[in-house]
Amino acid sequence: MTKLLLSLHVLVSILAVGPITVAASMFPRYAKPPAPGDDGPHDHDLRTAAFLHKICRGYAVVGIAVPVLGLATGAQMEVLGDAWLVASIVLTTIAAALLMSMVLPGQRELLGEEGEGEDLSGTGAGEGLSGTRAGSGALTVAARRSASARLAMTTGIFNLLWATVVVLMIVRPGSTTGA
């Protein structure tokens, strides 16, 4: 049973958390509008950003299975009190909180979805998506560029937390169960 639980835990980790880390990392690049007066090539494309946001949201729901399977595996292996696992649980909790409280809301803000659903009628070049639209939640181009940079940093921290958890799961410092 332990091997089955561990296999499922690793598989779901790869298939759920992996796409979140990649999509969340790519999102700021496509959500960030070009600087005013910049007529050169740029990647600003809110349709792509919206697609990446959907990936993050969808896989976040599936990702709930990762800690559930991890706890079941840890209980089966009788290592729930081991320092490496406790540290992994704490880091996973922080990463999940960061995703739910900062990354996904930051993406929604940059997409202009706050209370507006997901109507992205333009591709990033229309006036409604350039940060000049009126109404609550409208961001200027400078504010959108700044928010994109903050989101990229937050996403990087999220990814580093997951990378640390992976290392802890592999190395298991202080473990008496073998490596």
Side-chain angles (χ1 to χ4, degrees):
M1 182 61 127
T2 301
K3 289 182 181 181
L4 175 64
L5 286 172
L6 183 58
S7 297
L8 289 173
H9 173 63
V10 170
L11 187 61
V12 173
S13 297
I14 292 168
L15 296 177
V17 178
I20 295 170
T21 60
V22 172
S25 295
M26 292 174 62
F27 180 90
R29 173 182 178 178
Y30 292 101
K32 181 179 178 180
D38 182 8
D39 294 330
H42 55 81
D43 294 325
H44 183 63
D45 182 353
L46 285 182
R47 289 188 190 276
T48 300
F51 177 69
L52 293 169
H53 176 63
K54 284 183 181 183
I55 290 171
C56 291
R57 273 194 341 233
Y59 281 96
V61 173
V62 175
I64 294 169
V66 174
V68 170
L69 288 166
L71 287 171
T73 303
Q76 186 75 25
M77 293 173 64
E78 298 178 0
V79 294
L80 287 179
D82 286 8
W84 65 271
L85 188 59
V86 172
S88 295
I89 292 168
V90 169
L91 293 174
T92 298
T93 303
I94 293 169
L98 196 61
L99 178 67
M100 300 309 288
S101 69
M102 297 183 77
V103 174
L104 294 176
Q107 289 178 349
R108 277 193 303 273
E109 178 186 21
L110 284 168
L111 291 173
E113 289 185 7
E114 295 181 299
E116 299 176 18
E118 292 186 35
D119 181 25
L120 297 173
S121 55
T123 62
E127 77 270 9
L129 299 173
S130 65
T132 60
R133 85 178 171 242
S136 65
L139 296 174
T140 65
V141 171
R144 293 173 71 80
R145 291 179 59 80
S146 178
S148 291
R150 277 192 312 278
L151 182 60
M153 179 193 67
T154 305
T155 301
I157 294 168
F158 170 79
N159 291 343
L160 284 173
L161 288 168
W162 279 117
T164 304
V165 169
V166 168
V167 169
L168 285 171
M169 291 287 143
I170 294 169
V171 175
R172 300 188 306 182
S175 173
T176 58
T177 61

